[in-house]
Amino acid sequence: MKKVIILLFIWVGSLPALWAIDGYHQHLSREEFRTKQQAFITEKAELTANEAEKFFPVYFELQDKKKELSSQIWKLLRNKDDKRTDDQYEKAMLQVYDLRIESSELDKTYYQKFKTILSAKKIYMVQRAEMRFQRELVKGVHHKDGQQGNKVKK
């Protein structure tokens, strides 16, 4: 029994190393993530260098604002105070929904800003590329050299 426990600890302890070899856990800094995201979207949405140069500062400004709203939502939802009343839960949920609406309104506002930089077709292509980028991240589709895979067709 003691040998089994020791083997189990060795096996569990070696899992992170095995995952790292396969690229399973890829922790990217914010800048690395944004660089990969920008390259992916630029390629898939067929943005010119000039379009990308003008578009991405505005795009990342939107992402920062939406991240702040998401953080507020998560803060409301992670509160594990079991002593809250139904009215307090109601208030928290209404705040969550208001923040989600605010996030959607930000999208619409920034669409107007994007239209001064890109055509409607390019904005559409950016949205599709953004969804594909997120889907590929979730699926963990990476080459061994850390580049995004190109398995998703246009």
Side-chain angles (χ1 to χ4, degrees), residues 56-124:
F56 281 103
V58 180
Y59 175 81
F60 290 133
E61 179 182 300
L62 170 62
Q63 297 306 309
D64 290 342
K65 289 180 179 182
K66 288 177 70 172
K67 183 180 184 315
E68 176 57 35
L69 293 173
S70 290
S71 294
Q72 291 176 38
I73 290 170
W74 276 107
K75 185 178 177 183
L76 287 167
L77 293 175
R78 278 188 284 213
N79 185 346
K80 295 182 181 180
D81 182 7
D82 293 333
K83 296 177 183 174
R84 285 193 283 181
T85 65
D86 240 19
D87 287 340
Q88 290 170 320
Y89 281 113
E90 171 79 14
K91 183 179 176 185
M93 289 310 303
L94 289 174
Q95 287 175 320
V96 167
Y97 294 130
D98 287 343
L99 289 167
R100 288 180 179 166
I101 290 168
E102 189 176 339
S103 180
S104 292
E105 288 172 350
L106 265 177
D107 283 327
K108 195 169 185 180
T109 298
Y110 272 80
Y111 172 67
Q112 297 304 319
K113 291 181 181 187
F114 294 159
K115 284 188 350 182
T116 65
I117 303 166
L118 302 174
S119 68
K121 179 182 179 181
K122 290 263 179 138
I123 296 168
Y124 174 84

Side-chain angles (χ1 to χ4, degrees), residues 10-27:
I10 291 171
W11 181 73
V12 170
S14 66
L15 284 177
L18 293 173
W19 287 332
I21 291 168
D22 288 338
Y24 183 81
H25 285 292
Q26 291 191 0
H27 298 287

